[in-house]
Amino acid sequence: MSPLHLADRIISGTPLSDAEAMALADTSAYTLEELFEAARRVTDHFHTREFDTCSIINARSGRCGEDCKWCAQAARYATGAAEYPLVDRETCLEMCRYNAAKGIGRFSLVTSGRLAGPKAMETICGYYRDLAAECPGMGLCASLGLVSPEALEALRAAGVERYHCNMETAPSHFPTLCTTHTQAEKLATIEAARRAGLKICSGGIIGMGETFAQRIEFALLLRSIDPVSIPLNVLQPIPGTPLGDQPPLSDDEILAAVAVMRLVNPRASIRFAGGRARISPEAQRRALAIGVNGAIMGDLLTTVGAMIDEDLDMIRKCGYTIAKPHKEL
């Protein structure tokens, strides 16, 4: 069945079966333009022209004991990434105020490491209570690792609305990239966050040596989680990591990944995240037409993102309005 016929079925209320999605791996059966048009139709049907924005602060950097092969913050790799403990309260508040003034909708603290421990979590919850009081229109999110159910409940009580935990890649590919934790542990964290009343943000990275079929497998994994937001990173190879010499994806490969992510997850916000510098401006604009309707704005964790004003200008030129900051829970 062609991507355009699949789009018609999705719009009529019939989601892709796993087999139908995986059949898209046979790229000889259709043209890329058909795939892109199918994704555009699904995006236009399920979404408004409001663009979902968020920003992050790298609240604790480096010295991570995990062995994720893509990550600059893993202690076992010599990458020159910044290392510092938990940032202070005023730094968090200043960053949140700045992004609120720019009209950004959500703000998240992100910490390196497997999890934020009890003392750090107590401090972080205090930060979130202050953020909720001083930036009342800003949606608050958190990305703090594989934390406990009790910590997730405390975050929710402090005003956090979404919890972010990336699945990173397809189940068949993940064990080749990380051995110090599993996707099952990530899923347990996500389910605990959902039980605590938090909405879920979960995505990952493309360009880590996976096949197109594995990108479809990854999209299906995310569908089983049903996140409201899917951040899609393009690998930015970091010198010193095992993936430091990974060849770049072409624009068409990136756009095809966006398209299948949209067809498999028609209702989620798909957001640009890391690696934007590896995508041409033309492909970025095309991605906004076929599936991307959100972005992490400004600087990212260990690589520089696009400037906020430049991002906003491009988004508006692509026919979107910027969604107003709002609490969602």
Side-chain angles (χ1 to χ4, degrees), residues 233-309:
N233 298 267
V234 179
L235 179 71
Q236 181 76 34
I238 305 295
T241 67
L243 297 184
D245 295 322
Q246 189 70 27
L249 297 178
S250 69
D251 282 351
D252 279 347
E253 287 176 305
I254 294 167
L255 291 170
V258 169
V260 296
M261 189 64 73
R262 170 55 69 214
L263 294 176
V264 174
N265 296 278
R267 296 182 183 275
S269 291
I270 298 175
R271 67 181 63 245
F272 271 143
R276 295 266 298 284
R278 298 177 73 83
I279 313 173
S280 72
E282 294 78 12
Q284 290 189 44
R285 290 190 288 269
R286 189 73 187 274
L288 265 63
I290 69 172
V292 170
N293 58 349
I296 301 175
M297 314 288 279
D299 286 356
L300 304 177
L301 291 179
T302 58
T303 59
V304 176
M307 298 298 290
I308 289 177
D309 290 339

Side-chain angles (χ1 to χ4, degrees), residues 22-43:
M22 291 306 302
L24 292 170
D26 179 10
T27 55
S28 66
Y30 58 87
T31 67
L32 280 178
E33 286 304 316
E34 287 177 310
L35 181 65
F36 299 161
E37 174 61 16
R40 185 197 65 78
R41 291 182 188 180
V42 170
T43 300

Side-chain angles (χ1 to χ4, degrees), residues 64 66-81 83 177-178 238-243:
C64 178
E66 306 300 290
D67 70 350
C68 307
K69 290 184 179 180
W70 62 85
C71 186
Q73 300 193 67
R76 65 193 68 203
Y77 311 135
T79 66
E83 296 183 3
L177 299 170
C178 178
I238 305 295
T241 67
L243 297 184

Side-chain angles (χ1 to χ4, degrees), residues 167 169-176 183 214 217-218 220-221:
M167 296 306 294
T169 190
S172 64
H173 194 46
F174 186 86
T176 72
Q183 285 186 320
Q214 286 173 319
E217 180 190 347
F218 174 47
L220 290 167
L221 170 65

Side-chain angles (χ1 to χ4, degrees), residues 7-327:
D8 289 340
R9 291 181 60 221
I10 294 166
I11 289 168
S12 71
T14 303
L16 293 186
S17 68
D18 288 5
E20 287 170 334
M22 291 306 302
L24 292 170
D26 179 10
T27 55
S28 66
Y30 58 87
T31 67
L32 280 178
E33 286 304 316
E34 287 177 310
L35 181 65
F36 299 161
E37 174 61 16
R40 185 197 65 78
R41 291 182 188 180
V42 170
T43 300
D44 287 350
H45 177 77
F46 286 100
H47 296 273
T48 69
R49 299 301 290 175
E50 283 197 325
F51 199 85
D52 188 34
T53 58
C54 64
S55 61
I56 62 177
I57 180 173
N58 195 6
R60 184 180 68 193
S61 182
R63 293 176 286 188
C64 178
E66 306 300 290
D67 70 350
C68 307
K69 290 184 179 180
W70 62 85
C71 186
Q73 300 193 67
R76 65 193 68 203
Y77 311 135
T79 66
E83 296 183 3
Y84 51 82
L86 192 66
V87 298
D88 61 86
R89 169 187 178 278
E90 188 53 40
T91 298
C92 288
L93 286 170
E94 182 180 354
M95 284 291 292
C96 191
R97 292 187 199 107
Y98 172 80
N99 282 280
K102 291 287 188 181
I104 303 304
R106 297 185 176 86
F107 183 73
S108 180
L109 275 64
V110 182
T111 57
S112 66
R114 185 181 182 89
L115 54 83
K119 288 186 178 179
M121 188 61 66
E122 183 178 352
T123 301
I124 288 167
C125 285
Y127 289 176
Y128 275 116
R129 285 189 289 270
D130 292 338
L131 290 169
E134 296 203 25
C135 300
M138 183 71 81
L140 299 177
C141 313
S143 182
L144 309 171
L146 306 176
V147 299
S148 68
E150 294 77 17
L152 291 162
E153 291 171 1
L155 288 168
R156 179 69 191 95
V160 175
E161 301 167 357
R162 291 186 181 182
Y163 196 75
H164 168 261
C165 184
N166 274 351
M167 296 306 294
E168 307 299 2
T169 190
S172 64
H173 194 46
F174 186 86
T176 72
L177 299 170
C178 178
T179 65
T180 50
H181 61 269
T182 66
Q183 285 186 320
E185 290 174 288
K186 289 174 171 287
L187 285 169
T189 299
I190 286 169
E191 289 311 310
R194 185 170 273 126
R195 289 195 300 272
L198 296 162
K199 293 188 177 182
I200 304 303
C201 176
S202 184
I205 310 170
I206 59 173
M208 297 195 292
E210 76 284 349
T211 65
F212 185 50
Q214 286 173 319
R215 290 175 202 142
I216 300 171
E217 180 190 347
F218 174 47
L220 290 167
L221 170 65
L222 292 175
R223 181 171 73 178
S224 72
I225 295 168
D226 193 26
V228 296
S229 170
I230 297 175
L232 193 62
N233 298 267
V234 179
L235 179 71
Q236 181 76 34
I238 305 295
T241 67
L243 297 184
D245 295 322
Q246 189 70 27
L249 297 178
S250 69
D251 282 351
D252 279 347
E253 287 176 305
I254 294 167
L255 291 170
V258 169
V260 296
M261 189 64 73
R262 170 55 69 214
L263 294 176
V264 174
N265 296 278
R267 296 182 183 275
S269 291
I270 298 175
R271 67 181 63 245
F272 271 143
R276 295 266 298 284
R278 298 177 73 83
I279 313 173
S280 72
E282 294 78 12
Q284 290 189 44
R285 290 190 288 269
R286 189 73 187 274
L288 265 63
I290 69 172
V292 170
N293 58 349
I296 301 175
M297 314 288 279
D299 286 356
L300 304 177
L301 291 179
T302 58
T303 59
V304 176
M307 298 298 290
I308 289 177
D309 290 339
E310 293 176 4
D311 269 350
L312 295 175
D313 183 60
M314 178 189 71
I315 291 161
R316 291 185 176 109
K317 285 180 177 177
C318 288
Y320 282 95
T321 60
I322 307 303
K324 292 182 180 180
H326 67 282
K327 292 286 188 180

